[in-house]
Amino acid sequence: MRNIRKDYQKGKPIVITDKTKPLDLLEIWINDALENGVTEPNAMNIATVDSNGHPRNRMVLIKHLVNDEIGFFTNLNSDKSIEIQGHSRISCTIWWPEMERQVRVEGVTQKMKKDLVEDYFFSRPRKSRIAAWASDQSKKLESRKKLEDRFDYYNSKFEGGDVPLPPFWGGYIITPERVEYWEGRPSRLHERVVIKKSENSWKTERLYP
Ligand SMILES: Cc1cc2nc3c(=O)[nH]c(=O)nc-3n(C[C@H](O)[C@H](O)[C@H](O)COP(=O)(O)O)c2cc1C
């Protein structure tokens, strides 16, 4: 590991054109990643804390980026969801290695409204909708076969009709309070720019790498 080393070259000075729209640059960077063929350009790591203050993180996909809010979908009985319901603050990181860029979004979560959830759920392929019914996410699974049997069960149950939205499936919207943009520069002199909420206005500042 000691000899794995990469000198980042791609970063340019980060320019925030409108600090009152802290996620504008995130949208631009996701589109840049998409155009450059990055795998899963909307994948982000989210960290939550449980009732003992123990942090836990995992990947999700950003499926909503509107009016300076981001959102993702999940099983509402999953560990992450239970943790969010107990403690609404969240920290998210997005990293595109090919772009030498990272974004961190810290903010507050709220449950996504049902119309938005439905809108997305019914746009998913049928098998993904069946899988949402079959997965008791984050709960103990006795065997792989049990999961496949549950998939087959719901597949037959909804055969010939639409696959409805499971009552335990939904999404979370994240309203940012602090957003940090990072770009790799040569000799580890990376760019870091933070946009953070202060009372009712937004402030930007630069950080040492
Ligand atoms: C690239 C990637 C994207 C993922 N996207 C989602 C997602 O959008 N929603 C989700 O519930 N799980 C997603 N997962 C699975 C989660 O990382 C995680 O394993 C699962 O949600 C259970 O997490 P929990 O037990 O902490 O709730 C994704 C995993 C990967 C690797």
Side-chain angles (χ1 to χ4, degrees):
M1 301 285 233
R2 292 169 61 124
N3 295 328
I4 302 175
R5 186 167 294 278
K6 178 174 163 55
D7 195 36
Y8 296 115
Q9 299 289 342
K10 292 192 177 163
K12 299 183 188 72
I14 294 172
V15 179
I16 304 297
T17 46
D18 183 353
K19 64 184 174 190
T20 66
K21 298 205 170 103
L23 296 185
D24 271 8
L25 189 56
L26 172 63
E27 192 165 0
I28 292 169
W29 282 11
I30 291 175
N31 285 327
D32 286 349
L34 195 60
E35 281 166 19
N36 282 276
V38 172
T39 313
E40 305 280 42
N42 54 335
M44 78 173 170
N45 190 278
I46 59 166
T48 51
V49 282
D50 71 12
S51 53
N52 295 315
H54 296 172
R56 187 185 272 152
N57 53 333
R58 78 292 281 158
M59 303 300 298
V60 294
L61 295 175
I62 302 173
K63 290 286 182 177
H64 172 97
L65 204 175
V66 180
N67 293 336
D68 268 296
E69 291 177 331
I70 44 178
F72 64 91
F73 295 94
T74 195
N75 183 309
L76 298 173
N77 298 326
S78 65
D79 283 352
K80 77 179 84 46
S81 177
I82 290 165
E83 288 171 8
I84 288 169
Q85 284 162 40
H87 186 90
S88 64
R89 304 199 77 85
I90 197 163
S91 179
C92 320
T93 317
I94 305 127
W95 159 237
W96 304 274
E98 299 87 339
M99 310 301 293
E100 303 180 357
R101 283 172 173 169
Q102 170 185 247
V103 178
R104 176 165 55 196
V105 178
E106 293 162 62
V108 178
T109 45
Q110 63 192 74
K111 219 186 237 181
M112 196 182 279
K113 293 208 170 68
K114 197 171 172 196
D115 56 336
L116 272 183
V117 176
E118 282 177 339
D119 191 44
Y120 175 68
F121 186 79
F122 292 110
S123 77
R124 299 179 89 205
R126 184 182 173 87
K127 284 185 177 169
S128 303
R129 284 184 273 153
I130 301 279
W133 279 95
S135 176
D136 200 3
Q137 196 176 53
S138 311
K139 303 294 181 299
K140 185 175 173 184
L141 172 65
E142 292 79 29
S143 65
R144 178 86 203 165
K145 186 171 182 312
K146 176 87 195 259
L147 177 63
E148 288 164 2
D149 287 349
R150 281 173 63 101
F151 184 92
D152 293 343
Y153 169 80
Y154 286 108
N155 202 13
S156 316
K157 182 173 169 156
F158 298 126
E159 204 174 347
D162 218 350
V163 182
L165 173 71
F168 53 81
W169 203 87
Y172 287 95
I173 294 281
I174 301 162
T175 306
E177 294 188 343
R178 186 183 187 281
V179 183
E180 182 188 321
Y181 292 95
W182 183 103
E183 274 200 305
R185 302 290 297 269
S187 311
R188 299 284 189 259
L189 300 178
H190 311 306
E191 283 270 299
R192 289 179 74 189
V193 173
V194 174
I195 310 176
K196 60 180 178 186
K197 203 163 200 173
S198 155
E199 316 237 308
N200 283 329
S201 64
W202 290 90
K203 287 196 162 64
T204 58
E205 63 191 21
R206 218 161 255 288
L207 300 179
Y208 279 100

